[in-house]
Amino acid sequence: MSASSLSPESPPVVVLAGPIRSGDAPRLCERLGAALPGAPTVTCDVSGVTTADLATLDALARMQLAARRAGSRMVLRDPPAGLAVLLGLAGMAEVLGAPAGEESGVEMVRDAEQREPALRVQEAVVPRDPPR
């Protein structure tokens, strides 16, 4: 699933490969923690990740949180196209330090919110109106 490689001259790299399941986050955070001591930045190579789903996003977000709590940060290297698109759509690409890549082909279009003025409730009782 994961492997870490450390070199004295380069920042630590944590390599993720294969599918990431919902129960993998704690173990991945432990592996990241082993690579963190004294490193301001840890690179997470996700080129071998075969899933692009919410479990993957959750694990990556938890890893980033673990890195920040340790006074470091994690950046992603070589996310597969599907994962890169999902990171962008979820608004997590910048948070997870994913590299800016090619356009995904998905264009986000939003119309400005059109607010109607609040309606005022007008109640009037005409004494001769029969009750309904």
Side-chain angles (χ1 to χ4, degrees):
M1 168 63 117
S2 308
S4 298
S5 62
L6 298 172
S7 169
E9 296 97 29
S10 63
V13 176
V14 176
V15 179
L16 303 183
I20 296 178
R21 306 281 184 230
S22 60
D24 293 341
R27 187 170 30 119
L28 294 175
C29 289
E30 286 177 18
R31 288 188 175 259
L32 180 73
L36 283 175
T41 302
V42 173
T43 300
C44 185
D45 185 341
V46 291
S47 62
V49 172
T50 59
T51 53
D53 57 12
L54 293 178
T56 304
L57 289 182
D58 179 61
L60 293 173
R62 288 175 186 269
M63 290 173 71
Q64 180 68 278
L65 182 60
R68 288 186 178 179
R69 285 181 177 164
S72 185
R73 72 185 196 106
M74 180 183 76
V75 294
L76 300 182
R77 179 170 58 188
D78 298 330
L83 182 57
V85 169
L86 186 59
L87 288 168
L89 288 174
M92 294 179 63
E94 202 172 304
V95 172
L96 291 172
E102 297 178 10
E103 289 294 319
S104 67
V106 177
E107 182 179 345
M108 300 298 283
V109 178
R110 244 181 121 178
D111 293 328
E113 184 176 340
Q114 299 290 325
R115 297 201 71 171
E116 294 182 15
L119 298 176
R120 295 183 192 175
V121 177
Q122 297 178 1
E123 291 186 33
V125 177
V126 178
R128 295 189 184 156
D129 279 348
R132 294 186 182 184

